[in-house]
Amino acid sequence: MLIDINTRPIPSDHRVVVARPGASYKLYADFVDGGFAGPELPGMFLRNEDISSTDELLTARILRAREIRKWHGYGRPEDRVPDLDLSSYDNGSDDPGVGQIYRVVNFYFREAKRGDLIAVPPRNFAGKVHVGELADDPAEIFKQEVERYPGDPIPARKVKWLGTIDKVDLPVRVIEAFRKPTPLLLVGTSDRDSFYSAAYRNFYREGHYSATFDVTSAEFDTTSGSVIPAFFNFVAANTREVDRNSGVALSFGEGAFRSLGEYAPHLAIDIQSPGILSIASQYITPLVASALLALALTVGPLAAEESFLATLQIGNSAAPPDDACVVPVREQVMTQMRLMGYDNWAHACELLREAANKTGLQSEAVVKED
């Protein structure tokens, strides 16, 4: 039996960028529906020109694209068609506006790696911010037609959209910073977790673990509303026992309301229909809770039997085969189950299944047959 914890590892050099979809957000639908993102530079590379991230005339191309963009904005008058000859533009221009655009071009053409996150906000403050991964490398930038600039494609990178965030729920510092007319905003490390939760749900980075749980009912009764957070605390309590090599595991009742200090995970609740619960911790508790919930709902009390534990494996389909998280999650799951024993685990399963039947509770972890 295999538990797939389905958890995305976040490397230390990972980037999260909020990208304005063109002036006045007018390319939002193009980006979202077309699965791409890029600078609003129509005609930077014409249809008959090869696109290159190392082109020596990038500044001239930016100047030409800026003129083409203005021309489209004016309604494409026949007497003001921009000159398409790059030699007509100053390739050494030190215009501050060009410098800002160049930094955006440099991000898409050279800096942004496959797997970095792009978040595209709508103009409407009540709308959805789409969050996705860059699906290709800088060398694969391409020319993309958009309705606003017929005949003059923009340079673009492919994006795989993974999730959304309500714009009003963006971190305050991101909202404040993005009120300035900047086409790109690099999100600081301390403000990235909401983007990671939207994209990956279960993820970990250095010193931080996070897991998301779905619920389908917006109405919790008092039992369900206490059992689910109690389960998270129960797992956290036993994670601490295993880390301390105490040789004991607490029952559900003992661990549910234990004071845990820094081991107590942070809980965020968004109970709509459907809704989510998210837990985060500096310890591996969230991923262990995700795996144990999957076991409780899929296998039940039999998962505590030695014959079952002897064949139990942990995998992570969202990470490379040598993922560093697999071994400690397996150690925690196996040790907690063995120390708990059949009776204590059976009691936890009974409570969790009752809560799941009422709320639709489920985790990102999946139990698979060999």
Side-chain angles (χ1 to χ4, degrees):
M1 190 71 71
L2 171 71
I3 303 177
D4 177 6
I5 59 174
N6 193 22
T7 299
R8 174 69 152 81
I10 307 297
S12 59
D13 61 349
H14 195 257
R15 292 182 180 89
V16 178
V17 173
V18 180
R20 190 186 303 273
S24 301
Y25 302 82
K26 291 179 179 178
L27 299 181
Y28 176 78
D30 294 283
F31 282 16
V32 170
D33 296 340
F36 64 88
E40 189 185 16
L41 293 174
M44 184 178 181
F45 291 91
L46 303 178
R47 284 179 168 178
N48 62 346
E49 294 176 338
D50 292 333
I51 194 166
S52 171
S53 62
T54 59
D55 191 280
E56 296 179 353
L57 297 173
L58 279 181
T59 300
R61 291 186 180 282
I62 289 171
L63 290 168
R64 182 177 71 180
R66 196 164 64 172
E67 290 302 309
I68 292 173
R69 185 174 63 196
K70 291 178 183 177
W71 177 66
H72 282 280
Y74 291 140
R76 297 181 282 276
E78 293 184 3
D79 61 340
R80 297 183 62 177
V81 177
D83 191 340
L84 300 184
D85 187 350
L86 287 172
S87 65
S88 301
Y89 299 91
D90 179 9
N91 196 49
S93 173
D94 58 359
D95 181 337
V98 171
Q100 183 187 49
I101 297 172
Y102 189 88
R103 287 190 290 273
V104 175
V105 169
N106 193 55
F107 171 80
Y108 283 110
F109 278 51
R110 299 189 180 97
E111 295 178 353
K113 305 185 303 300
R114 182 195 299 263
D116 284 345
L117 280 191
I118 293 281
V120 174
R123 183 181 182 86
N124 181 359
F125 199 71
K128 296 287 187 181
V129 178
H130 283 255
V131 183
E133 279 187 342
L134 285 170
D136 58 12
D137 296 311
E140 298 174 78
I141 198 164
F142 61 96
K143 290 176 283 188
Q144 174 67 45
E145 296 282 351
V146 295
E147 184 177 356
R148 183 169 177 78
Y149 302 113
D152 291 308
I154 66 170
R157 295 276 299 274
K158 291 180 181 177
V159 178
K160 179 183 179 182
W161 301 118
L162 300 172
T164 62
I165 308 172
D166 289 335
K167 190 173 180 178
V168 295
D169 291 334
L170 287 175
V172 173
R173 278 178 291 197
V174 172
I175 293 175
E176 291 296 327
F178 208 64
R179 284 176 175 167
K180 300 176 182 179
T182 176
L184 280 179
L185 174 67
L186 181 64
V187 180
T189 302
S190 61
D191 290 321
R192 294 179 183 179
D193 288 345
S194 59
F195 297 96
Y196 290 144
S197 292
Y200 307 124
R201 299 170 64 78
N202 280 17
F203 69 91
Y204 73 92
R205 54 180 174 79
E206 185 176 1
H208 181 96
Y209 301 88
S210 182
T212 298
F213 301 80
D214 285 318
V215 292
T216 57
S217 173
E219 298 182 4
F220 276 23
D221 61 20
T222 55
T223 300
S224 301
S226 61
V227 164
I228 296 173
F231 166 68
F232 297 145
N233 210 62
F234 156 69
V235 176
N238 281 327
T239 299
R240 185 173 67 174
E241 293 301 319
V242 173
D243 284 349
R244 291 177 171 179
N245 294 314
S246 68
V248 300
L250 304 173
S251 67
F252 195 99
E254 292 173 320
F257 304 104
R258 184 66 61 96
S259 178
L260 298 175
E262 63 183 9
Y263 266 84
H266 174 75
L267 173 63
I269 302 176
D270 180 10
I271 303 301
Q272 298 177 9
S273 188
I276 60 170
L277 299 94
S278 298
I279 56 172
S281 175
Q282 62 181 303
Y283 300 99
I284 207 166
T285 299
L287 307 188
V288 178
S290 185
L292 287 175
L293 179 63
L295 272 179
L297 301 184
T298 306
V299 180
L302 293 178
E305 294 187 350
E306 188 61 39
S307 59
F308 179 87
L309 290 174
T311 64
L312 183 62
Q313 298 296 320
I314 302 291
N316 188 3
S317 61
D322 59 349
D323 178 43
C325 205
V326 167
V327 171
V329 172
R330 184 176 188 273
E331 179 182 350
Q332 280 285 345
V333 170
M334 300 285 283
T335 305
Q336 289 193 32
M337 295 285 285
R338 284 194 171 113
L339 292 175
M340 237 186 296
Y342 183 91
D343 290 341
N344 283 331
W345 174 244
H347 178 57
C349 287
E350 180 182 358
L351 293 172
L352 286 172
R353 287 185 165 187
E354 181 180 352
N357 287 337
K358 292 178 179 178
T359 66
L361 177 68
Q362 61 182 16
S363 72
E364 287 295 295
V366 179
V367 178
K368 302 177 179 179
E369 296 288 344
D370 292 338

